Amino acid sequence: MSSATAASKKGDEKHLYTVVVLGASGDLAKKKTFPALFGLYKNKYLDQNTHIIGYARTKMDRSTFEEHVSMNIKLKTDEDKAAHKKFLKLCSYQSGQYDQDSDFKRLEDAIREVEKASGATARLFYMALPPSVFISVAKGLKKNNYTEDSLVRLIVEKPFGMDLDSSRELAKDLGSLFSEDEIYRIDHYLGKEMVKNLMILRFANVIFGSVWNRHTIDNVQITFKEKLGTEGRGGYFDEFGIIRDVMQNHMLQILTLVAMEPPVSLGAEDVRDEKVKVLRFIPPIVKDDILLGQYGKSEDGKEPGYLDDKTVPKDSKTPTYAAATLFIENERWSGVPFVMKCGKALDQQKTEIRIQFKDVAGHLFTTLSRNEIVIRVQPDEAVYVKMMNKEPGLGTKTIISDLDLSYSSRFSDSVIPEAYESLILDVLNGDHSNFVRDDELDAAWKIFTPILKQIDNGEIDPIPYAHSSRGPKGVTEFVAKYGYTRERQEYVWPQHSEAGSAAGKDQK
Ligand code: BG6
């Protein structure tokens, strides 16, 4: 039986896993992987007998490892503290090289030992690794830690290559070792609550579903803003830039879910078929449809500029901000610009989707603002619909208002899970729907590779902007060029909550 068939057969049953975190001493493992595993353990989504083995090159004693695992775990209650104590007992660490069979063999001994104790029948390898060691680790695992007797699942993290060619190369190498069934390419935005809500908003509401097309929608904006610069990650970032870091993956995934046709079912392949289809309708981005920026010092001089980072070359032209417009050449979307904007070192942290409708036809009212549906991914999850209303009182003056579904007030008792918790749980359950398929990745790279080549060749200069500002000059004009029309009256969102202070304003 091929390993792929074995895996899918075994996937039908419930399994007890041994989790191996490769790159366990790194930032990602510390910030995301271990806290997510703990979250699942604490809430009993992870079998209470699941062992977790950390593996990395760094030598660490037990207490340093425990500190590393725990650094980003928040313990609010006594129950949390008790669970954390038990969780640590299930975690162990082993240092080893990423290209030595003898080290992977020692890892195998450790896995077998915990499997004997726990009775685990499945292995989850979490690759929280830099791209340079990716394939050598995959080879080491396949040769030394892969067994036909147990179910094997492999989580891989971006970057999945630098462009179409390198991504294909990586896919080929990885594909020769593990089957597509065994591979889970993580894009953690697919685990975010509001991103997961997109299909429900669209396909479970007649009032939204019926207007979701070029006849009523004028333009769509997807925005990702971060306050932090690239502090501490300059070296990595300089090789990639903001388009490869955020736009080609996180933002494009959001766009795909906003734009795809309804899938035949909620099954992973049906969903991913539709995602691939919509990506294939998008021609590569052209130079006229892109604007780049790079941050300098803040206006008060307190925050450093991108080039002040010692790990960044002094003459780097790597963009830390990008706005790009995509068009989807299909029946539903032809002519509707999808504007994606993303940047680091900006005035606020925010990810949102803003769908702006066309102007109302006719002449009954003046100073009408356009309807918008805004889906705020983070922070302060919300969906609000901007609409015109009669100003209460005598007369018939129109006023802009909203239907506001702010999660903090509507779902105040609900806990929103961390994206990584939700995605790791999907892997344990063998659900691929929120993971990137190989052909999806290929289609995504086709859209970006030509423009990335031009950027890498230094053909497009980034416009400087100050750290903590709204971004490079020209962004407002860029967005207006694609039809985005600002309100014709004063509007603030949200109206009544504390979040209605400056940070919560409906700032585009
Ligand atoms: C990562 C990028 O994939 O996503 C980072 O590499 C970025 O540069 C991060 O900061 C954003 O994730 P989140 O969940 O904090 O919005």
Side-chain angles (χ1 to χ4, degrees), residues 158 188-189 192 224 226 233 245-246 250 344 378:
K158 75 171 180 58
H188 77 282
Y189 266 61
K192 293 201 185 254
F224 166 103
E226 276 189 331
R233 286 174 83 216
D245 190 43
V246 168
H250 305 328
K344 297 210 169 255
Q378 64 185 29

Side-chain angles (χ1 to χ4, degrees), residues 287 292 317 450-451 453-462:
K287 208 167 158 181
L292 303 178
K317 279 183 162 191
I451 197 78
K453 287 228 156 86
Q454 293 184 344
I455 297 171
D456 292 347
N457 290 340
E459 289 170 35
I460 309 175
D461 283 332

Side-chain angles (χ1 to χ4, degrees), residues 18 44 50 64 74 178 187 250 258 277 291 303 332 353 438 444 460:
T18 304
K44 311 246 178 336
T50 306
T64 316
K74 290 190 187 83
F178 295 91
D187 182 314
H250 305 328
V258 169
K277 223 194 280 171
L291 179 147
E303 301 294 340
R332 183 188 290 270
I353 305 151
D438 51 358
I460 309 175

Side-chain angles (χ1 to χ4, degrees), residues 358-406:
K358 291 183 189 286
D359 282 318
V360 171
H363 60 278
L364 288 183
F365 304 104
T366 50
T367 60
L368 291 188
S369 293
R370 287 177 166 184
N371 288 139
E372 286 181 9
I373 299 177
V374 183
I375 299 153
R376 179 179 270 248
V377 176
Q378 64 185 29
D380 305 325
E381 289 84 354
V383 183
Y384 56 100
V385 178
K386 289 164 68 171
M387 51 171 262
M388 297 308 299
N389 202 49
K390 178 178 137 359
E391 188 171 52
L394 297 173
T396 52
K397 209 170 152 221
T398 57
I399 186 172
I400 183 165
S401 187
D402 50 53
L403 300 172
D404 185 352
L405 171 60
S406 279

